[in-house]
Coordinates of all heavy atoms in Angstrom, one line a residue:
Y1 N 17.4 11.5 -18.6 CA 17.6 10.6 -17.5 C 16.2 10.1 -17.0 O 16.0 9.0 -16.6 CB 18.3 11.3 -16.3 CG 18.3 10.5 -15.1 CD1 19.1 9.4 -14.9 CD2 17.4 10.8 -14.0 CE1 19.1 8.7 -13.7 CE2 17.4 10.1 -12.8 CZ 18.2 9.0 -12.7 OH 18.2 8.3 -11.6
L2 N 15.2 11.0 -17.0 CA 13.9 10.6 -16.5 C 13.0 9.9 -17.5 O 12.0 9.4 -17.1 CB 13.2 11.9 -16.0 CG 13.9 12.6 -14.8 CD1 13.1 13.9 -14.4 CD2 13.9 11.6 -13.6
R3 N 13.3 10.0 -18.8 CA 12.4 9.2 -19.7 C 12.4 7.8 -19.4 O 13.4 7.2 -19.1 CB 13.0 9.5 -21.1 CG 12.4 10.7 -21.7 CD 12.9 10.9 -23.1 NE 12.8 12.3 -23.3 CZ 12.2 12.9 -24.3 NH1 11.7 12.2 -25.2 NH2 12.2 14.2 -24.4
G4 N 11.2 7.2 -19.4 CA 11.0 5.8 -19.2 C 10.9 5.5 -17.7 O 10.8 4.4 -17.3
R5 N 11.0 6.5 -16.9 CA 10.9 6.4 -15.4 C 9.6 7.0 -14.9 O 9.0 7.8 -15.6 CB 12.1 7.1 -14.7 CG 13.4 6.5 -15.1 CD 14.5 7.0 -14.2 NE 15.8 6.7 -14.7 CZ 16.4 5.5 -14.4 NH1 15.8 4.6 -13.7 NH2 17.6 5.3 -14.9
V6 N 9.2 6.6 -13.7 CA 8.0 7.1 -13.1 C 8.4 8.1 -12.1 O 9.1 7.8 -11.1 CB 7.1 6.0 -12.5 CG1 5.9 6.6 -11.8 CG2 6.7 5.0 -13.6
V7 N 7.9 9.4 -12.2 CA 8.1 10.4 -11.2 C 6.8 10.6 -10.4 O 5.8 10.9 -10.9 CB 8.5 11.7 -11.8 CG1 8.6 12.8 -10.8 CG2 9.8 11.6 -12.6
A8 N 7.0 10.4 -9.0 CA 5.8 10.7 -8.2 C 6.0 12.0 -7.6 O 7.0 12.3 -7.0 CB 5.7 9.6 -7.0
I9 N 5.0 12.9 -7.7 CA 5.0 14.2 -7.1 C 4.0 14.1 -5.9 O 2.9 13.8 -6.1 CB 4.6 15.3 -8.1 CG1 5.6 15.4 -9.2 CG2 4.4 16.6 -7.4 CD1 5.4 16.4 -10.2
L10 N 4.6 14.3 -4.7 CA 3.8 14.2 -3.5 C 3.3 15.6 -3.1 O 4.1 16.5 -2.8 CB 4.6 13.6 -2.4 CG 5.2 12.2 -2.7 CD1 5.9 11.7 -1.4 CD2 4.2 11.2 -3.2
G11 N 2.0 15.8 -3.3 CA 1.5 17.2 -3.1 C 1.1 17.7 -4.4 O 1.6 17.3 -5.5
Y12 N 0.1 18.7 -4.5 CA -0.3 19.2 -5.7 C -0.8 20.6 -5.6 O -2.0 21.0 -5.8 CB -1.4 18.3 -6.3 CG -1.6 18.5 -7.8 CD1 -0.6 18.0 -8.7 CD2 -2.7 19.1 -8.4 CE1 -0.8 18.1 -10.0 CE2 -2.9 19.2 -9.8 CZ -1.9 18.7 -10.5 OH -2.0 18.8 -11.9
D13 N 0.2 21.5 -5.1 CA -0.1 22.9 -5.1 C 0.2 23.5 -6.5 O 0.5 22.7 -7.4 CB 0.6 23.6 -4.0 CG 2.2 23.5 -4.2 OD1 2.6 23.0 -5.2 OD2 2.9 23.9 -3.2
A14 N 0.2 24.8 -6.6 CA 0.4 25.4 -7.9 C 1.8 25.1 -8.5 O 1.9 24.8 -9.7 CB 0.2 26.9 -7.9
D15 N 2.8 25.1 -7.6 CA 4.2 24.7 -8.1 C 4.3 23.3 -8.6 O 4.9 23.0 -9.5 CB 5.2 25.0 -7.0 CG 5.3 26.5 -6.8 OD1 5.2 27.3 -7.7 OD2 5.7 26.9 -5.6
A16 N 3.7 22.4 -7.8 CA 3.7 20.9 -8.1 C 2.9 20.7 -9.4 O 3.3 19.9 -10.3 CB 3.1 20.1 -7.0
Q17 N 1.8 21.4 -9.6 CA 1.0 21.3 -10.8 C 1.9 21.7 -12.1 O 1.9 21.0 -13.0 CB -0.2 22.1 -10.7 CG -1.2 22.0 -11.9 CD -2.4 22.9 -11.7 OE1 -2.3 24.1 -11.3 NE2 -3.5 22.4 -12.1
E18 N 2.6 22.8 -11.9 CA 3.4 23.3 -13.0 C 4.5 22.3 -13.3 O 4.8 22.0 -14.5 CB 4.0 24.6 -12.6 CG 5.0 25.1 -13.5 CD 4.5 25.8 -14.7 OE1 3.3 26.2 -14.7 OE2 5.2 25.9 -15.8
Q19 N 5.2 21.7 -12.3 CA 6.2 20.8 -12.5 C 5.7 19.5 -13.1 O 6.3 18.9 -14.0 CB 6.9 20.5 -11.1 CG 8.0 19.4 -11.2 CD 9.2 19.9 -11.9 OE1 9.3 21.0 -12.5 NE2 10.3 19.1 -11.9
A20 N 4.5 19.0 -12.7 CA 3.9 17.8 -13.2 C 3.6 18.0 -14.7 O 3.9 17.1 -15.5 CB 2.7 17.5 -12.5
R21 N 3.1 19.1 -15.0 CA 2.8 19.4 -16.4 C 4.1 19.5 -17.3 O 4.1 19.0 -18.4 CB 2.0 20.7 -16.6 CG 0.6 20.5 -16.1 CD -0.2 21.9 -16.1 NE -1.5 21.8 -15.7 CZ -2.3 22.8 -15.5 NH1 -1.9 24.0 -15.7 NH2 -3.6 22.6 -15.2
R22 N 5.1 20.1 -16.7 CA 6.4 20.3 -17.5 C 6.9 18.9 -17.8 O 7.4 18.7 -18.8 CB 7.3 21.2 -16.7 CG 8.6 21.5 -17.4 CD 9.5 22.5 -16.6 NE 8.8 23.6 -16.1 CZ 8.7 24.0 -14.8 NH1 9.2 23.2 -13.9 NH2 8.1 25.0 -14.4
L23 N 7.0 18.1 -16.7 CA 7.6 16.8 -16.9 C 6.7 15.9 -17.9 O 7.3 15.2 -18.8 CB 7.7 16.0 -15.6 CG 8.7 16.5 -14.6 CD1 8.6 15.9 -13.3 CD2 10.1 16.3 -15.1
S24 N 5.4 16.0 -17.8 CA 4.6 15.3 -18.6 C 4.8 15.7 -20.1 O 4.8 14.8 -21.0 CB 3.1 15.5 -18.2 OG 2.3 14.6 -19.0
R25 N 4.9 17.0 -20.4 CA 5.1 17.5 -21.7 C 6.5 16.9 -22.3 O 6.6 16.8 -23.5 CB 5.1 19.0 -21.8 CG 3.8 19.6 -21.7 CD 3.8 21.1 -22.1 NE 4.7 21.8 -21.3 CZ 4.4 22.5 -20.1 NH1 3.1 22.5 -19.7 NH2 5.2 23.2 -19.4
K26 N 7.4 16.6 -21.4 CA 8.7 16.1 -21.9 C 8.7 14.6 -22.0 O 9.7 14.0 -22.2 CB 9.8 16.5 -20.9 CG 10.0 18.1 -21.0 CD 11.2 18.5 -20.2 CE 11.3 20.0 -20.4 NZ 12.7 20.5 -20.0
G27 N 7.5 13.9 -21.8 CA 7.5 12.5 -22.0 C 7.7 11.7 -20.8 O 7.8 10.5 -20.8
V28 N 7.8 12.3 -19.6 CA 8.0 11.6 -18.4 C 6.7 11.2 -17.8 O 5.7 12.0 -17.8 CB 8.8 12.5 -17.3 CG1 8.9 11.8 -16.0 CG2 10.1 13.0 -17.9
R29 N 6.6 10.0 -17.4 CA 5.3 9.5 -16.7 C 5.3 10.0 -15.3 O 6.2 9.8 -14.5 CB 5.2 8.0 -16.7 CG 4.0 7.5 -16.0 CD 3.6 6.1 -16.3 NE 2.3 5.8 -15.7 CZ 2.3 4.9 -14.7 NH1 3.3 4.3 -14.2 NH2 1.1 4.8 -14.1
V30 N 4.3 10.8 -15.0 CA 4.1 11.5 -13.7 C 2.8 10.9 -13.0 O 1.8 10.8 -13.6 CB 3.9 13.0 -13.9 CG1 3.6 13.7 -12.6 CG2 5.1 13.6 -14.5
I31 N 3.0 10.6 -11.7 CA 1.8 10.2 -10.9 C 1.9 11.1 -9.7 O 2.9 11.7 -9.4 CB 1.9 8.7 -10.5 CG1 3.2 8.5 -9.6 CG2 1.8 7.8 -11.7 CD1 3.2 7.0 -9.1
I32 N 0.7 11.3 -9.1 CA 0.6 12.2 -8.0 C 0.2 11.4 -6.7 O -0.6 10.5 -6.8 CB -0.5 13.2 -8.3 CG1 -0.3 14.0 -9.6 CG2 -0.7 14.2 -7.1 CD1 1.0 14.7 -9.7
G33 N 0.9 11.8 -5.6 CA 0.6 11.1 -4.3 C -0.1 12.2 -3.4 O 0.5 13.2 -3.2
L34 N -1.3 11.8 -2.9 CA -2.0 12.7 -2.0 C -2.7 11.9 -1.0 O -3.0 10.7 -1.2 CB -3.1 13.5 -2.8 CG -2.6 14.5 -3.9 CD1 -3.7 15.0 -4.7 CD2 -1.8 15.6 -3.2
R35 N -3.1 12.5 0.1 CA -3.9 11.9 1.1 C -5.3 11.7 0.5 O -5.7 12.5 -0.4 CB -4.0 12.8 2.3 CG -2.7 12.8 3.1 CD -2.9 13.5 4.5 NE -1.7 13.4 5.3 CZ -0.9 14.3 5.4 NH1 -1.0 15.5 4.9 NH2 0.2 14.2 6.2
E36 N -6.0 10.7 1.0 CA -7.4 10.4 0.5 C -8.3 11.6 0.5 O -9.1 11.8 -0.4 CB -8.0 9.3 1.2 CG -7.3 7.9 1.0 CD -7.4 7.4 -0.4 OE1 -8.5 7.7 -1.1 OE2 -6.5 6.8 -0.9
D37 N -8.2 12.4 1.6 CA -9.1 13.6 1.8 C -8.6 14.9 1.2 O -9.2 16.0 1.5 CB -9.5 13.7 3.2 CG -8.3 14.0 4.1 OD1 -7.1 13.8 3.6 OD2 -8.5 14.4 5.3
D38 N -7.5 14.9 0.5 CA -6.9 16.1 0.0 C -7.8 16.7 -1.1 O -8.1 16.0 -2.1 CB -5.5 15.8 -0.6 CG -4.7 17.1 -0.8 OD1 -5.2 18.1 -1.3 OD2 -3.5 17.1 -0.5
P39 N -8.2 18.0 -1.0 CA -9.0 18.6 -2.0 C -8.4 18.8 -3.4 O -9.0 18.9 -4.4 CB -9.4 20.0 -1.4 CG -8.5 20.2 -0.2 CD -8.0 18.8 0.2
A40 N -7.0 18.7 -3.4 CA -6.3 18.8 -4.6 C -6.4 17.6 -5.5 O -6.1 17.6 -6.7 CB -4.8 19.1 -4.4
R41 N -7.0 16.5 -4.9 CA -7.1 15.2 -5.7 C -7.9 15.4 -7.0 O -7.6 15.0 -8.0 CB -7.8 14.2 -4.8 CG -8.0 12.8 -5.4 CD -8.6 11.8 -4.4 NE -7.5 11.3 -3.5 CZ -6.7 10.3 -3.8 NH1 -6.8 9.7 -4.9 NH2 -5.8 10.0 -2.9
A42 N -9.1 16.1 -6.8 CA -9.9 16.4 -8.0 C -9.2 17.2 -9.1 O -9.4 16.9 -10.3 CB -11.2 17.1 -7.6
N43 N -8.4 18.1 -8.7 CA -7.6 18.9 -9.6 C -6.6 18.1 -10.4 O -6.5 18.2 -11.6 CB -6.9 20.1 -9.0 CG -7.8 21.1 -8.4 OD1 -9.0 21.2 -8.8 ND2 -7.3 21.9 -7.4
A44 N -5.9 17.3 -9.7 CA -4.9 16.4 -10.3 C -5.5 15.4 -11.3 O -5.0 15.2 -12.4 CB -4.1 15.7 -9.2
E45 N -6.7 14.8 -10.9 CA -7.3 13.9 -11.7 C -7.9 14.6 -13.0 O -7.8 14.1 -14.1 CB -8.5 13.2 -11.0 CG -7.9 12.2 -10.0 CD -9.0 11.6 -9.1 OE1 -10.2 12.2 -9.0 OE2 -8.7 10.6 -8.4
A46 N -8.4 15.8 -12.8 CA -8.9 16.6 -13.9 C -7.8 17.0 -14.9 O -8.1 17.1 -16.1 CB -9.6 17.9 -13.4
D47 N -6.6 17.1 -14.4 CA -5.4 17.4 -15.2 C -4.9 16.2 -15.9 O -4.0 16.3 -16.7 CB -4.3 18.1 -14.4 CG -4.7 19.5 -14.0 OD1 -5.5 20.1 -14.6 OD2 -4.0 20.0 -13.1
G48 N -5.5 15.0 -15.6 CA -5.2 13.8 -16.4 C -4.1 13.0 -15.7 O -3.7 12.0 -16.3
F49 N -3.8 13.2 -14.5 CA -2.7 12.4 -13.8 C -3.4 11.4 -13.0 O -4.5 11.5 -12.4 CB -1.9 13.3 -12.8 CG -1.1 14.4 -13.6 CD1 -1.5 15.7 -13.6 CD2 0.0 14.0 -14.3 CE1 -0.7 16.7 -14.3 CE2 0.7 14.9 -15.0 CZ 0.3 16.2 -15.0
S50 N -2.7 10.2 -12.9 CA -3.1 9.2 -12.0 C -2.8 9.6 -10.6 O -1.6 10.0 -10.3 CB -2.4 7.9 -12.3 OG -2.7 7.4 -13.6
V51 N -3.7 9.4 -9.7 CA -3.5 9.8 -8.3 C -3.6 8.6 -7.4 O -4.5 7.8 -7.5 CB -4.6 10.9 -7.9 CG1 -4.4 11.3 -6.4 CG2 -4.6 12.1 -8.8
F52 N -2.7 8.5 -6.5 CA -2.6 7.4 -5.5 C -2.4 8.0 -4.1 O -2.1 9.2 -4.0 CB -1.3 6.5 -5.8 CG -1.4 5.9 -7.2 CD1 -0.8 6.6 -8.3 CD2 -2.0 4.7 -7.4 CE1 -0.8 6.0 -9.5 CE2 -2.0 4.1 -8.7 CZ -1.5 4.8 -9.7
D53 N -2.6 7.2 -3.1 CA -2.3 7.6 -1.8 C -0.8 7.7 -1.7 O -0.1 7.3 -2.6 CB -2.9 6.7 -0.7 CG -2.2 5.3 -0.7 OD1 -1.0 5.1 -0.9 OD2 -3.0 4.3 -0.6
L54 N -0.3 8.4 -0.7 CA 1.1 8.7 -0.6 C 2.0 7.4 -0.7 O 3.0 7.4 -1.5 CB 1.4 9.5 0.7 CG 0.8 10.9 0.8 CD1 0.9 11.4 2.2 CD2 1.4 11.8 -0.3
W55 N 1.7 6.4 0.1 CA 2.5 5.2 0.0 C 2.4 4.5 -1.3 O 3.4 3.9 -1.8 CB 2.2 4.2 1.2 CG 2.7 4.7 2.5 CD1 1.9 5.1 3.6 CD2 4.0 4.9 2.9 NE1 2.7 5.6 4.6 CE2 4.0 5.4 4.2 CE3 5.3 4.6 2.3 CZ2 5.2 5.7 4.9 CZ3 6.4 5.0 3.0 CH2 6.4 5.4 4.3
G56 N 1.3 4.5 -1.9 CA 1.1 3.8 -3.2 C 1.9 4.5 -4.3 O 2.5 3.9 -5.1
A57 N 2.0 5.9 -4.3 CA 2.7 6.6 -5.2 C 4.2 6.3 -5.0 O 5.0 6.1 -6.0 CB 2.5 8.1 -5.1
V58 N 4.7 6.3 -3.8 CA 6.1 6.1 -3.5 C 6.5 4.7 -4.0 O 7.6 4.5 -4.6 CB 6.4 6.2 -2.0 CG1 7.7 5.6 -1.5 CG2 6.2 7.7 -1.6
E59 N 5.7 3.7 -3.8 CA 6.0 2.3 -4.2 C 6.1 2.2 -5.7 O 6.9 1.4 -6.2 CB 4.9 1.3 -3.7 CG 4.9 1.1 -2.2 CD 3.8 0.3 -1.7 OE1 2.9 -0.1 -2.5 OE2 3.8 -0.1 -0.5
K60 N 5.3 3.0 -6.4 CA 5.3 2.8 -7.9 C 6.4 3.7 -8.6 O 6.6 3.6 -9.8 CB 3.9 3.3 -8.5 CG 2.8 2.4 -8.1 CD 1.4 2.9 -8.4 CE 0.2 2.1 -8.1 NZ 0.4 1.0 -7.3
A61 N 7.0 4.6 -7.8 CA 7.9 5.6 -8.4 C 9.3 5.1 -8.5 O 9.8 4.4 -7.6 CB 7.8 6.9 -7.7
D62 N 10.0 5.7 -9.5 CA 11.5 5.6 -9.6 C 12.2 6.8 -8.9 O 13.3 6.7 -8.4 CB 11.9 5.5 -11.1 CG 11.4 4.2 -11.7 OD1 11.6 3.1 -11.2 OD2 10.7 4.4 -12.7
V63 N 11.4 7.9 -9.1 CA 11.9 9.2 -8.5 C 10.8 9.9 -7.8 O 9.6 9.8 -8.2 CB 12.4 10.2 -9.7 CG1 12.8 11.5 -9.2 CG2 13.5 9.5 -10.5
I64 N 11.1 10.5 -6.6 CA 10.1 11.1 -5.8 C 10.4 12.6 -5.6 O 11.5 12.9 -5.3 CB 9.9 10.4 -4.4 CG1 9.6 8.9 -4.7 CG2 8.9 11.1 -3.5 CD1 9.9 8.1 -3.4
Q65 N 9.4 13.4 -5.9 CA 9.5 14.9 -5.6 C 8.5 15.2 -4.5 O 7.3 14.9 -4.6 CB 9.2 15.7 -6.8 CG 10.3 15.6 -7.8 CD 10.1 16.5 -9.0 OE1 9.0 17.0 -9.2 NE2 11.2 16.9 -9.6
V66 N 8.9 15.9 -3.5 CA 8.0 16.4 -2.4 C 7.7 17.9 -2.5 O 8.7 18.6 -2.6 CB 8.6 16.0 -1.0 CG1 7.6 16.4 0.0 CG2 8.8 14.5 -0.9
W67 N 6.5 18.2 -2.5 CA 6.1 19.6 -2.6 C 5.4 20.1 -1.3 O 4.6 19.5 -0.8 CB 5.2 19.9 -3.8 CG 6.0 19.8 -5.1 CD1 6.1 18.7 -5.8 CD2 6.7 20.8 -5.7 NE1 7.0 18.9 -6.9 CE2 7.4 20.2 -6.8 CE3 7.0 22.1 -5.4 CZ2 8.1 20.9 -7.7 CZ3 7.8 22.9 -6.3 CH2 8.3 22.3 -7.4

């Protein structure tokens, strides 16, 4: 169901990181939504995910997960 869709994960704690990686390995396009000043932004970018502000991620997503 999620293949070909964009999943936005809002937040990037350890659980969200695991979920993002799991979905990505299954071929799902994952983007991360964070506040501009969130220290997790660098981690998400280092993991290879596109990071947007919260509203930007919501606008681009077909499915939204909140962590």
Side-chain angles (χ1 to χ4, degrees):
Y1 171 79
L2 294 176
R3 273 181 208 233
R5 301 193 189 272
V6 177
V7 175
I9 295 181
L10 306 184
Y12 202 68
D13 63 8
D15 292 330
Q17 184 180 41
E18 173 81 21
Q19 178 70 353
R21 288 177 176 170
R22 187 178 308 121
L23 288 169
S24 184
R25 282 193 304 265
K26 293 185 178 197
V28 177
R29 180 161 181 249
V30 176
I31 61 174
I32 307 299
L34 296 170
R35 289 188 172 101
E36 291 294 327
D37 61 346
D38 193 317
R41 179 177 284 273
N43 294 337
E45 289 172 343
D47 288 342
F49 295 107
S50 297
V51 181
F52 300 91
D53 65 43
L54 295 169
W55 286 114
V58 168
E59 289 175 354
K60 292 173 179 13
D62 299 304
V63 177
I64 301 164
Q65 292 186 333
V66 179
W67 289 90

